[in-house]
């Protein structure tokens, strides 16, 4: 296996605030690595440190095996990135912006601009200036800019934020195509977990500046299992009754939700006993753990009872 990126014990502080706390992770060639975390968890800070928009306070980064300053910057040329909002000139068209970036990056391939425009589907935007682009068009131009140098490693910060469902699917398909046809390794941060799940091969969950879980899609699929999603008005009393019924594995997720992982008692019996105790049930349904619910219960552990 070839390691594209390795972060070793990275710490970054802004004043007294610890944004990254001893982060270690590695990304292998061909991975689509989904970085998941709530607002302020540290995702953008990681990406900025990788592309050298920020400097870590401690720890080492290896990009394609290089860590020394000179070699690292050489390897950065094999990387394309869109971090925060795509930076383009408001007064220029898509094509003009790409020509400008080619000059800046020293890209001499004459087909690079047209290829990038075609790939992201912006070839027909003609004279329209960047300032008049929709959000989706802006995101696509950002991707086109990142692809100009035909990178081996693509880094994208929240690329599908604010896009409509059709644009999201288009974006997903583009990234999967890059990964499958050009073996491009991709690091992507996103809040849109359902979408991230569909394209990523590996995941890292970051919370409060620490990576708290890393897993492959395969591992997730093997471990994820069904559960009963129960919503009631008195979860504490409901938990007591469920325990009395012999249900050993459950989790109180929030002020009205209990997830039950133990199927030893029939749903009708659960409903009957809760109703007898004057508990109002608003939902009782069998569900499969998805990335979103896994993420939620991982970063907000709730009250865990005998559940691993
Ligand atoms: N330049 C800065 N100066 C001070 N604090 C900063 C700076 N950049 C980031 N931070 C802080 O570091 C923490 C991590 O921020 P970061 O932007 O990496 O989070 P994030 O996971 O990308 O969040 P979001 O999803 O909201 O973009 C936050 O608490 C943030 O306020």
């Amino acid at each position: 296996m070839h390691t594209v990126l390795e972060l070793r014990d990275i710490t970054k502080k802004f004043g007294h605030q610890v944004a990254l706390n001893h982060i270690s992770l590695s990304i292998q060639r061909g991975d689509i690595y989904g970085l998941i975390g709530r607002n302020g968890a540290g995702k953008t800070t990681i990406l900025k440190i990788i592309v050298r928009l920020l400097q870590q306070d401690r720890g080492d980064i290896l990009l394609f095996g290089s860590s020394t300053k000179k070699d690292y910057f050489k390897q950065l040329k094999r990387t394309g990135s869109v971090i925060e909002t795509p930076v383009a000139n408001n007064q220029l068209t898509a094509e003009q912006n790409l020509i400008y970036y080619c000059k800046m990056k020293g890209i001499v391939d004459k087909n690079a601009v047209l290829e990038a425009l075609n790939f992201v589907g912006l070839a027909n935007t003609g004279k329209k200036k960047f300032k008049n682009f929709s959000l989706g068009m802006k995101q696509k131009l950002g991707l086109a800019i990142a692809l100009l140098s035909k990178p081996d490693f693509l880094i994208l910060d929240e690329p599908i934020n604010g896009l409509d469902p059709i644009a999201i699917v288009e974006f997903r398909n583009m990234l999967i195509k890059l990964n499958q046809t050009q073996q491009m390794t991709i690091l992507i941060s996103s809040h849109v977990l359902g979408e991230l799940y569909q394209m990523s091969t590996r995941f890292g969950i970051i919370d409060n500046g620490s990576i708290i879980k890393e897993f492959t899609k395969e591992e997730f699929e093997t471990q994820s299992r069904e559960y009963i999603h129960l919503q009631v008005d008195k979860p504490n009393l409901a938990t007591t009754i469920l325990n009395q019924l012999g249900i050993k594995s459950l989790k109180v997720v929030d002020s009205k939700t209990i997830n039950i992982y133990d199927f030893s008692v029939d749903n009708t019996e659960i409903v009957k006993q809760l109703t007898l105790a004057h508990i109002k049930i608003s939902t009782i349904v069998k569900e499969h753990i998805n990335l979103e619910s896994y993420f939620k219960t991982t970063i907000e552990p709730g009250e865990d009872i005998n559940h691993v």
Side-chain angles (χ1 to χ4, degrees):
M1 243 195 277
H2 295 269
T3 303
V4 170
L5 177 80
E6 193 173 347
L7 303 188
R8 291 183 185 159
D9 204 21
I10 298 291
T11 293
K12 173 72 187 170
K13 290 183 187 169
F14 294 105
H16 289 299
Q17 185 181 0
V18 182
L20 300 180
N21 192 8
H22 301 283
I23 294 265
S24 293
L25 64 82
S26 69
I27 297 180
Q28 308 300 323
R29 189 164 77 187
D31 277 348
I32 301 184
Y33 190 103
L35 190 61
I36 309 167
R38 53 186 157 188
N39 291 126
K43 302 179 296 296
T44 306
T45 305
I46 292 186
L47 305 188
K48 282 185 173 170
I49 286 175
I50 297 168
V51 299
R52 286 299 186 239
L53 287 171
L54 280 175
Q55 179 70 38
Q56 72 270 29
D57 297 322
R58 60 169 287 177
D60 294 315
I61 314 181
L62 281 86
L63 186 63
F64 297 103
S66 298
S67 64
T68 58
K69 201 172 173 185
K70 192 171 148 220
D71 283 350
Y72 195 95
F73 275 95
K74 210 165 134 192
Q75 298 300 343
L76 261 187
K77 294 202 167 123
R78 297 170 64 185
T79 300
S81 58
V82 187
I83 297 192
E84 292 181 328
T85 43
V87 183
N89 186 317
N90 267 327
Q91 301 303 327
L92 301 182
T93 65
E95 186 180 4
Q96 287 166 341
N97 264 301
L98 291 179
I99 291 170
Y100 168 80
Y101 266 94
C102 277
K103 283 185 185 146
M104 246 180 53
K105 293 182 174 184
I107 296 163
V108 287
D109 178 1
K110 287 202 175 90
N111 296 322
V113 169
L114 197 59
E115 270 180 35
L117 280 176
N118 277 328
F119 184 80
V120 300
L122 287 181
N124 296 321
T125 52
K127 291 186 175 153
K128 191 174 262 197
K129 291 178 179 169
F130 183 74
K131 66 176 179 187
N132 297 322
F133 278 16
S134 67
L135 179 62
M137 291 166 77
K138 286 183 176 170
Q139 303 281 45
K140 284 179 181 175
L141 186 65
L143 180 61
I145 292 168
L147 293 177
L148 276 176
S149 56
K150 301 196 168 53
D152 295 315
F153 182 31
L154 185 62
I155 300 173
L156 302 171
D157 187 18
E158 303 279 358
I160 50 180
N161 247 13
L163 298 189
D164 67 48
I166 293 172
I168 287 181
V169 174
E170 276 176 15
F171 224 89
R172 182 213 310 158
N173 290 338
M174 282 191 269
L175 297 185
I176 290 175
K177 194 169 166 191
L178 288 168
N179 177 255
Q180 291 183 351
T181 62
Q182 299 179 33
Q183 284 72 52
M184 202 177 280
T185 306
I186 300 173
L187 167 58
I188 175 170
S189 77
S190 181
H191 287 118
V192 193
L193 299 191
E195 195 48 45
L196 201 61
Y197 186 68
Q198 293 198 47
M199 59 180 131
S200 301
T201 54
R202 287 181 66 215
F203 303 91
I205 298 183
I206 178 170
D207 198 37
N208 280 327
S210 301
I211 296 282
I212 52 169
K213 278 254 157 62
E214 265 191 304
F215 48 92
T216 64
K217 189 170 188 173
E218 227 177 328
E219 285 165 348
F220 182 79
E221 279 174 354
T222 314
Q223 286 168 19
S224 70
R225 51 180 168 147
E226 286 190 315
Y227 65 99
I228 297 164
H229 177 74
L230 176 70
Q231 292 197 306
V232 290
D233 62 343
K234 294 172 201 144
N236 289 339
L237 179 57
T239 302
T240 309
I241 289 168
L242 293 169
N243 282 330
Q244 284 166 358
L245 280 170
I247 294 174
K248 297 213 165 46
S249 179
L250 57 79
K251 178 179 273 189
V252 179
V253 179
D254 59 36
S255 62
K256 58 177 185 177
T257 310
I258 301 171
N259 289 347
I260 302 172
Y261 305 95
D262 172 345
F263 289 91
S264 59
V265 180
D266 199 61
N267 272 9
T268 45
E269 185 61 17
I270 293 175
V271 172
K272 189 175 151 196
Q273 295 304 328
L274 295 181
T275 311
L276 279 174
H278 305 290
I279 293 169
K280 278 199 192 113
I281 302 169
S282 51
T283 312
I284 179 160
V285 62
K286 209 182 242 187
E287 286 196 350
H288 212 82
I289 292 180
N290 60 22
L291 191 59
E292 194 138 11
S293 52
Y294 181 72
F295 173 64
K296 221 177 144 202
T297 46
T298 304
I299 61 162
E300 292 163 4
E303 199 178 311
D304 205 351
I305 299 171
N306 300 330
H307 172 56
V308 274

